[in-house]
Amino acid sequence: MTSPTIDLRSDTVTRPTPAMLDAMAKAPVGDDVYGEDPTVNRLEGLAAEMLGKEAAVFVPSGTMGNLISVLAHCGRGDEVILGDLAHIYLYEQGGSAALGGVHPRSVPTQPDGTLRFDDIENAIRGDNEHFPISRLLAVENTHNRCGGRALPVEYMDAAGQLAHKHGLKFHVDGARLWNAAVALNVSPDRLAKEADSLSLCLSKGLAAPVGSVVVGDKEFIRKARRMRKAVGGGMRQAGVIAAAGIVAMTEMVERLADDHANARRLAEGLNRLDGISIDPETVQTDIVIFDLDREDITPANLSAGLRGHGVLLNPIGGKRLRAVTNYHISEADIDRTIQAFGAVLEAGAQVTDKKVFTYG
Ligand SMILES: *Cc1c(COP(=O)(O)O)cnc(C)c1O
């Protein structure tokens, strides 16, 4: 008998809970492009309330949430200032440039996921016909590529105030803002206080099957809703999926603390192994990014070897790999994962000595 796979590739692999499936089956629906889907309307009302904003719009993905936010804030030739490790900058096909003509200006992302205020201020353009117009500052919380670091309230407030002082809007890629709120023990609306817009995923740690939500003031959401339609995101009886999103926001936020504890346990276990380096103290939420420092085994080899033990996780470039805990991962799974790492790392050295090292 084989044991079930331990899938640590992402928190996006989470499947809907029984409560979600039940809510989906029973959801009252209507045509949401006409504004007539009661379940979508309920989800949007709830998201706006939880984030302390006037309005919200439900979208199929976090990528679309960020895209329509940037397009609603910026016109062609305007500039968005963001971090060089931001998801919007690295992993969204440059959609706001490709589709909206919005120019990205990147500044260095610090290891804790923040952007330095000096760097932001130096990137803001003066009034000169050579320059694009600086229109938007975007930050990411939690920060994916920085190992799920949670940006604290003081930083979020100060970044938003800095943007506003210079007449810029402030967007937060809050795909995992729920994780930040739980890790920092603050309510999500407190982290959102200075933000003009936020995009939050329901289908990552919160385990809904599909969907993200964008929040902001009524005028911004009116524009974002128009942009959603333009990029093909107007959905019809979307209450079927929104129902799961409501369960996600009402029942699945507090349990993220379990994912965070499991991620810390994983980091502590990995840090004890020969050839893996990670500072467990930096693991605040559900993402564990670590370096493999071994001559005899590459991240791709390690990942393939772990697959043979039923453990899935991905290399993310260079010496790095990423593991993400989630709803389906128990403390026992973490311990099994650490054992599998130990076995693969040990075999890595042995088989290399015999020159028969092959994996997948
Ligand atoms: C996952 C993610 C997104 C995009 O979400 P999708 O639903 O996969 O399109 C945006 N920003 C960050 C930081 C993410 O981790």
Side-chain angles (χ1 to χ4, degrees):
M1 211 193 91
T2 54
S3 345
T5 300
I6 300 174
D7 195 344
L8 297 165
R9 288 172 302 168
S10 179
D11 46 9
T12 57
V13 302
T14 45
R15 299 174 301 277
T17 65
M20 288 178 189
L21 293 172
D22 188 49
M24 292 168 80
K26 293 179 181 149
V29 295
D31 190 327
D32 180 50
V33 175
Y34 287 96
E36 289 174 3
D37 188 302
T39 308
V40 172
N41 292 341
R42 231 181 93 209
L43 174 136
E44 291 176 348
L46 181 63
E49 191 189 311
M50 286 178 81
L51 277 303
K53 302 296 174 197
E54 286 175 8
V57 58
F58 184 47
V59 291
S61 70
T63 299
M64 189 184 286
N66 284 328
L67 175 64
I68 67 170
S69 297
V70 176
L71 297 188
H73 286 304
C74 303
R76 302 189 72 80
D78 286 348
E79 195 166 63
V80 52
I81 297 169
L82 36 56
D84 61 350
L85 296 181
H87 195 279
I88 298 179
Y89 189 63
L90 288 182
Y91 300 123
E92 300 182 9
Q93 274 192 30
S96 51
L99 305 174
V102 180
H103 190 247
R105 176 86 183 270
S106 70
V107 299
T109 307
Q110 302 304 311
D112 66 357
T114 61
L115 311 178
R116 293 183 56 232
F117 295 137
D118 274 1
D119 290 336
I120 296 169
E121 243 167 349
N122 289 334
I124 295 172
R125 311 281 191 161
D127 181 11
N128 180 310
E129 69 178 40
H130 292 85
F131 297 153
I133 295 167
S134 304
R135 194 71 76 187
L136 180 65
L137 169 67
V139 303
E140 188 173 311
N141 196 6
T142 65
H143 201 290
N144 187 336
R145 274 302 295 248
C146 293
R149 294 296 289 265
L151 281 53
V153 165
E154 304 72 46
Y155 182 84
M156 298 299 284
D157 283 354
Q161 286 157 11
L162 177 64
H164 294 148
K165 187 174 106 187
H166 293 278
L168 276 66
K169 298 289 187 186
F170 181 47
H171 174 71
V172 177
D173 177 355
R176 296 187 181 81
L177 194 84
W178 317 103
N179 297 82
V182 167
L184 298 167
N185 197 23
V186 295
S187 63
D189 65 311
R190 182 63 194 86
L191 285 167
K193 181 162 174 264
E194 292 292 331
D196 298 294
S197 58
L198 301 99
S199 174
L200 301 101
C201 285
L202 305 170
S203 65
K204 291 188 167 166
L206 303 192
V210 181
S212 280
V213 66
V214 174
V215 299
D217 70 19
K218 282 190 186 137
E219 181 52 19
F220 166 80
I221 292 297
R222 191 187 64 79
K223 288 185 197 158
R225 205 177 279 282
R226 279 188 61 80
M227 291 301 165
R228 181 186 68 165
K229 193 76 179 79
V231 297
M235 298 179 285
R236 303 297 177 173
Q237 285 71 36
V240 174
I241 51 175
I246 292 169
V247 175
M249 287 191 290
T250 52
E251 293 181 15
M252 300 295 285
V253 175
E254 278 169 30
R255 67 149 302 284
L256 292 172
D258 297 344
D259 295 347
H260 301 173
N262 282 335
R264 182 64 76 96
R265 186 180 181 88
L266 178 61
E268 283 163 357
L270 294 183
N271 194 42
R272 285 193 288 267
L273 298 173
D274 178 31
I276 299 215
S277 53
I278 175 167
D279 176 1
E281 288 297 310
T282 64
V283 176
Q284 292 178 286
T285 60
D286 61 342
I287 300 178
V288 183
I289 291 181
F290 55 94
D291 285 336
L292 177 67
D293 289 306
R294 290 264 296 242
E295 295 297 321
D296 57 338
I297 179 166
T298 66
N301 291 148
L302 176 58
S303 167
L306 289 168
R307 185 175 287 262
H309 289 258
V311 175
L312 306 185
L313 54 80
N314 286 326
I316 58 165
K319 297 192 293 184
R320 304 223 131 142
L321 295 102
R322 189 185 81 157
V324 188
T325 56
N326 63 66
Y327 177 59
H328 304 296
I329 302 297
S330 65
E331 198 176 280
D333 291 331
I334 296 298
D335 294 341
R336 233 186 87 201
T337 299
I338 296 164
Q339 279 172 15
F341 266 87
V344 174
L345 290 172
E346 198 171 320
Q350 266 178 26
V351 291
T352 307
D353 285 339
K354 295 179 197 146
K355 304 269 187 277
V356 292
F357 183 63
T358 54
Y359 273 130

